[in-house]
Amino acid sequence: MAKTAISSIKMNYQQLNNTEQRIADTILANPNAAHDFTIQQLAVVSGVSSASVSRFVKHIGWESYREFSLALAANDSDISFFGEIEDNDSTDDIIKKVFSGADNALNTTLEMLDTSDFDVAIDLICNAKLVGLFGIGGSSLVAFNGYHKLLRTSINVIQHPDYDIQLMQAVHLDQQDCAIVISHSGRNHDTLAIAEKLKANGVPMIVITSFANSPLAKLADVCFVSLAEEVNFRSESMSSLIAQITIIDSLFTLVGFHIGQDSQDVLDNVRTAIETTRVPNK
């Protein structure tokens, strides 16, 4: 699945100027109607010039207004499949929409990922003296998932859910280490404080976020962008969480593959330790 018109707007919204945000707001308020607009009609409804609309679509990653309009129409055709939960939806309908939203997040994110970024990230992780994972709130779940996975390799790794401890951990890292920083918005104040400390210490930084032009993304040495469509009762940050965890799982798998036997030895030892500490059933 290629990127969608709606996701390209949301991913770049915070970096749009006031005029471009007016165009974005017009489209997001009623995408069903917007895909039928000519460039002149969209300009009139948004109260801007046709040239502004043309600059807007290029700013969010499309070659032309026609290409963007066709993508917006395709997005409309997907609404019933990924669409919002309605009052008269059955339990089966809701479950299918939730699963479809997760599938959408994974496929949309996959199409936007650059394989070469994974090569760079794996090199940073595998050559680091210590890898720290950082995330606040919901993003701490992704960080802990990465920590839990990387403990099964020969990589030295740290992670803690508390902000103050994360900040102290960041102070101890240096250019020989590596940090993986997760934030859906890329604008969380506490996460940025941690990232700025890491940057000041010269720590190579891998960022996972939903906004490619966010302040956090701009601090990254490597940035992975997770994308998801927003629906009611289920914010896009919840759907993108699934994509972020899958990015972490991809990094873990690639690390294990790259390290090879060393990781297999650690994994075998971990499994043995867990099995020997389990209390047998009576």
Side-chain angles (χ1 to χ4, degrees):
M1 180 185 292
K3 66 180 177 181
T4 69
I6 297 299
S7 65
S8 65
I9 293 174
K10 290 178 179 177
M11 185 175 71
N12 293 284
Y13 187 86
Q14 296 298 331
Q15 285 68 51
L16 301 177
N17 61 37
N18 290 337
T19 298
E20 291 169 334
Q21 286 189 355
R22 287 165 65 183
I23 301 168
D25 290 341
T26 299
I27 297 168
L28 293 175
N30 195 349
N32 295 348
H35 73 70
D36 288 328
F37 289 159
T38 64
I39 190 170
Q40 292 82 8
Q41 289 171 326
L42 180 57
V44 170
V45 173
S46 303
V48 302
S49 67
S50 297
S52 294
V53 175
S54 180
R55 286 192 293 270
F56 162 76
V57 297
K58 290 180 180 178
H59 192 168
I60 62 174
W62 301 91
E63 291 295 325
S64 65
Y65 181 76
R66 174 175 172 76
E67 182 185 35
F68 171 75
S69 181
L70 290 171
L72 191 58
N75 182 84
D76 181 41
S77 70
D78 286 339
I79 286 177
S80 61
F81 189 61
F82 301 119
E84 298 203 9
I85 296 169
E86 306 292 345
D87 291 339
N88 60 350
D89 279 347
S90 66
T91 299
D92 186 61
D93 291 333
I94 293 171
I95 292 170
K96 286 180 177 178
K97 286 184 178 182
V98 171
F99 271 79
S100 295
D103 185 60
N104 175 45
L106 289 172
N107 285 308
T108 305
T109 298
L110 178 61
E111 288 297 326
M112 297 295 287
L113 293 175
D114 188 337
T115 303
S116 63
D117 287 337
F118 279 94
D119 293 332
V120 175
I122 296 308
D123 185 64
L124 291 175
I125 294 170
C126 290
N127 289 293
K129 180 179 64 177
L130 183 64
V131 175
L133 290 105
F134 303 90
I136 304 296
S139 296
S140 68
L141 299 175
V142 183
F144 182 76
N145 175 266
Y147 174 66
H148 186 254
K149 292 280 173 47
L150 289 173
L151 281 175
R152 289 164 165 76
T153 72
S154 57
I155 301 295
N156 292 318
V157 59
I158 56 171
Q159 188 274 336
H160 198 282
D162 181 78
Y163 164 68
D164 290 335
I165 294 179
Q166 288 187 49
L167 192 58
M168 288 187 282
Q169 289 175 333
V171 169
H172 284 277
L173 298 185
D174 59 30
Q175 64 270 17
Q176 298 181 66
D177 304 312
C178 175
I180 302 174
V181 185
I182 305 103
S183 171
H184 169 66
S185 67
R187 295 176 174 276
N188 180 278
H189 180 269
D190 291 341
T191 304
L192 285 174
I194 292 168
E196 287 164 0
K197 174 54 65 176
L198 291 166
K199 197 70 176 179
N201 288 358
V203 182
M205 202 180 321
I206 300 166
V207 165
I208 302 175
T209 182
S210 294
F211 296 88
N213 294 312
S214 63
L216 179 62
K218 292 177 181 177
L219 294 173
D221 293 278
V222 184
C223 183
F224 296 105
V225 178
S226 58
L227 297 173
E229 297 298 331
E230 183 177 8
V231 298
N232 59 5
F233 296 112
R234 181 178 174 83
S235 70
E236 59 184 322
S237 61
M238 292 174 66
S239 291
S240 67
L241 187 72
I242 295 168
Q244 290 169 359
I245 288 174
T246 305
I247 291 171
I248 286 287
D249 285 352
S250 298
L251 290 172
F252 160 69
T253 304
L254 287 166
V255 165
F257 180 80
H258 183 83
I259 296 175
Q261 189 58 47
D262 286 345
S263 281
Q264 186 60 53
D265 291 342
V266 172
L267 181 57
D268 290 341
N269 289 335
V270 168
R271 286 173 175 167
T272 300
I274 292 173
E275 289 297 326
T276 56
T277 56
R278 284 178 177 165
V279 178
N281 294 327
K282 295 183 179 180

